[in-house]
Amino acid sequence: MAMDPSALEKMQRPRYLGMPTFMRAPAHDGPAGLDIAMIGVPYDGGVTNRPGARHGPREVRNQSSLMRLVNQATGVEPYSLATVGDIGDVFIERPFHLESSHEEIRRAFEPIMEAGAVPLAVGGDHSISLPILRVVGADRPVGLVHIDAHCDTGDGHLGSRFHHGAPFSRAVDEGVLDPERTVQIGIRGALNDPDQWKFSYDHGMRVIHMHEAREMGLDAVIAEARRVVGDGPTYLSFDIDALDPAYAPGTGTPEIGGFTSFEGQVLVRGMAGLNLVGADLVEVAPPFDPSGVTALTGATLMFEIICILSQVIASRRG
Ligand code: MN
Ligand code: MN
């Protein structure tokens, strides 16, 4: 498929010019005609520590102006394989209400699936993955590649079970996520309770702690992730705090001892060929990111995700 001429034209203009969209892709009113619909979810009403991820989509758009057309490592040219557009942000009308905000997010993703587009969301805190999974997992539970410092399979905290430390336990409870096809990569940090991630273990999720990932090596981590999710429909969720805060300081719940930026890129590339039905990049919090490096890193990982999604789309087209 030929490159969207408006995208090409944009690439020939100064990258600092004009209103930013994700990847300088064309802005669209909705998902019609798109293979990959990029969408911002500027919501952080589910954070348990420092807020700010509501500003993530805008800064990732800004930093994504630096992104280019060809993946130097893999040779993938995503915009030749798939039609990619920015459909704007979810407009949450009642952001002070956590559960109704999730319902507003869910309703915003329904038309994306109905249009046959693959959603690529930028958060926002990690609680936004739950309403997205309610849509992508509505017909059958999906598998999950979850890259994060935290399992996010907690339970009630400060009066809610829907905060950003619990989306994946709720998704299992609701039957939209298959725990036995879930792999969680990069888990680390001290706990308040040795059983903090008991939900993951008890439900058969494969938890690859950071120290284990270091011992295994990235190739083995990737092979294990691919084994766990298999060839069924799978969602990819990348929490920027999986990276070491030396690389990604702008996030709400930083944990030292994490992946490098390069390792994050390699992990995403390693998921090429999986049956991906959607993805998100969450927890970029610009107020803690004065240099913009976290948003730049988020935008770059987003480009890696676009590359593997575009390959899936091309292979489905045959
Ligand atoms: Mn998370
Ligand atoms: Mn996290």
Side-chain angles (χ1 to χ4, degrees), residues 126 146-152 164 167-168 239 241 282-283:
H126 221 156
H146 173 206
I147 304 171
D148 199 325
H150 314 95
C151 286
D152 294 350
H164 74 156
F168 302 117
D239 183 330
D241 73 26
V282 297
E283 299 281 0

Side-chain angles (χ1 to χ4, degrees), residues 185 210 213-224 259-260 262-267 271:
I185 303 169
M210 192 66 208
R214 275 275 173 269
E215 287 162 12
M216 292 168 72
L218 274 198
D219 287 349
V221 170
I222 289 165
E224 177 69 347
F259 291 115
T260 66
F262 178 72
E263 288 169 332
Q265 291 174 292
V266 169
L267 281 170
M271 303 307 145

Side-chain angles (χ1 to χ4, degrees), residues 252-310:
T253 322
E255 304 283 355
I256 69 161
F259 291 115
T260 66
S261 308
F262 178 72
E263 288 169 332
Q265 291 174 292
V266 169
L267 281 170
V268 174
R269 286 173 201 156
M271 303 307 145
L274 297 183
N275 182 5
L276 296 169
V277 294
D280 63 45
L281 184 286
V282 297
E283 299 281 0
V284 172
F288 304 100
D289 190 34
S291 75
V293 69
T294 312
L296 174 69
T297 303
T300 310
L301 291 167
M302 198 182 166
F303 176 72
E304 295 287 349
I305 295 170
I306 290 167
C307 288
I308 62 172
L309 290 178
S310 70

Side-chain angles (χ1 to χ4, degrees), residues 1-9 26 33 35 69 77-84 317:
M1 182 180 291
M3 166 104 52
D4 183 328
S6 61
L8 185 64
E9 185 194 340
D35 296 314
L69 303 176
E77 299 180 42
Y79 310 110
S80 302
L81 300 175
T83 306
V84 185
R317 195 180 285 125

